[in-house]
């Protein structure tokens, strides 16, 4: 990273929050990683220092402790896959072989009694995670968790193909795949589990609600790309990042790419807040909780991103901010010029409309 590419304070109007047992949860996840021997000795030694339990505790600040701990262990497991096999491992340049391994892991997630990968630490950890998902979630939440895991696996194979070929996708393609390879969608079922409810399909699968979840994923992954660029630029295995996509295809300097990425995430953040407000006005109490959890997910990722040694890299300090700003750098309400998500802006009525609520969203209120 060029020495003058300093990340400015990012716009974050969402208040911070954290589960009161965060320190205990973090210690439990460190012990879980050692019990299941997640990753190599060297990788595991790094992961247990990343305060992943704190991250989970910020996502579910008032959630059931058992599920906060489950989420924490799951996030560490995901890093075991992503860092160990995709970003830093040899399979990260061998999409065919990576596909084979991930399909075996998916089979374990579908059926933990499967004889697949017996003796493999990642498979053993996944079996434990699946059994806890069964314990704290509903059959529907379990099914969505497995489906989201499939989407994540598919996306990292896509990235491995680019890494092997030395190619960089255009911004629209990158944006679409980043909604999945950031592993945000696999967290969504746990947002419900954390508070002991199940969002009804007519709300969860409504186009606008799904879009709100995608907007949260966009902000989280763009922030991650911005805050992790220093770490990734210093490594040899990390490959795709929005700043690289913008410099490669738009001919921007890294500084210009940073400014544009900040502008993009600010506009999506503002849209997410407006859409969430409209959805909450007419949705069920469960939907309001879900939208609140999406906001906590965004802010939790931000707080963790500026504080975890994973991104601050104390041995080679990253020029990342230590705080956030209350106002956006870009206040435009125009759609981003990214075809795959430009339709998001069509979901809200004009501000001048006398009827702010979204049409055709069924209302479900508690009795």
């Amino acid at each position: 990273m060029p020495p003058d590419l300093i990340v400015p304070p990012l716009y974050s109007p969402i208040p911070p929050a954290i589960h009161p047992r965060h320190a205990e949860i973090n210690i439990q996840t460190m012990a879980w990683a050692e019990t299941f021997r997640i990753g190599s000795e060297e990788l595991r030694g790094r992961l247990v220092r990343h305060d992943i339990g704190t991250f989970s505790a910020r996502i579910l600040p008032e959630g059931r402790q058992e599920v906060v701990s489950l989420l924490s262990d799951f996030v560490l497991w995901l890093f075991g896959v992503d860092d160990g096999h995709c970003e830093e491992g040899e399979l990260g340049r061998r999409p065919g072989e990576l596909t084979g391994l991930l399909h075996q892991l998916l089979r374990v997630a579908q059926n933990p009694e499967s004889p697949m990968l017996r003796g493999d630490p990642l498979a053993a950890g996944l079996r434990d995670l699946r059994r806890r998902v069964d314990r704290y979630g509903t059959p529907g939440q379990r099914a969505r968790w497995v489906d989201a895991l499939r989407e994540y696996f598919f996306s990292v194979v896509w990235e491995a193909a680019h890494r092997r070929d030395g190619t960089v996708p255009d911004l629209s393609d990158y944006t679409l795949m980043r909604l999945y390879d950031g592993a945000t969608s696999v967290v969504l079922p746990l947002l419900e589990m954390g508070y002991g409810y199940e969002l009804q399909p007519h709300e969860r699968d409504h186009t606008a609600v799904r879009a709100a979840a995608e907007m949260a994923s966009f902000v989280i992954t763009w922030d991650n790309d911005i805050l992790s660029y220093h770490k990734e630029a210093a490594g040899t295995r990390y490959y795709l990042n929005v700043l690289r996509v913008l410099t490669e295809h738009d001919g921007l300097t890294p500084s210009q790419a940073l400014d544009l990425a900040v502008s993009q995430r600010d506009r999506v953040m503002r849209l997410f807040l407006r859409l969430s407000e409209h959805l909450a006005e007419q949705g069920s109490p469960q939907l309001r909780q879900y939208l609140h959890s999406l906001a906590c997910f965004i802010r939790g990722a931000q707080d963790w991103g500026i504080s975890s040694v994973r991104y601050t890299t104390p041995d080679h300090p990253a020029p990342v901010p230590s705080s956030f700003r209350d106002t956006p750098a870009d206040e435009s309400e125009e759609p981003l010029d990214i075809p795959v998500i430009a339709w998001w802006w069509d979901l809200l009525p004009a501000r001048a409309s006398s009827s702010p609520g979204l049409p055709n969203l069924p209302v479900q209120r508690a009795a």
Side-chain angles (χ1 to χ4, degrees), residues 82-93 237:
D82 196 47
D83 290 0
H85 286 307
C86 304
E87 297 285 7
E88 301 176 14
E90 292 302 320
L91 294 185
R93 297 178 184 274
R237 294 285 187 174

Side-chain angles (χ1 to χ4, degrees), residues 14 58-61 184-185 187-189 191-192 195 197 199 204 208-217 219-220 269 272-273 275-276 279 286-302:
I14 302 167
R58 294 185 185 280
I59 296 173
L60 297 170
T184 51
S185 61
V187 172
L188 300 183
L191 300 183
E192 299 175 32
Y195 292 96
Y197 70 93
L199 197 60
R204 184 195 320 103
V209 176
R210 291 177 64 89
E214 290 186 351
M215 292 174 200
S217 294
V219 176
I220 291 166
M269 171 74 91
F272 167 79
L273 295 172
L275 181 59
S276 293
L279 289 170
Q286 292 79 16
L287 178 58
R288 290 195 289 273
Q289 176 62 61
Y290 181 72
L291 295 167
H292 176 68
S293 293
L294 290 175
C296 288
F297 193 4
I298 293 173
R299 180 59 195 251
Q302 292 167 340

Side-chain angles (χ1 to χ4, degrees), residues 49 125 161 177 224 235-236 265 293:
R49 296 195 299 270
M177 202 56 69
N224 180 261
T236 58
R265 56 86 63 198
S293 293

Side-chain angles (χ1 to χ4, degrees), residues 66 156 230 362:
E66 298 87 352
V156 296
H230 173 86

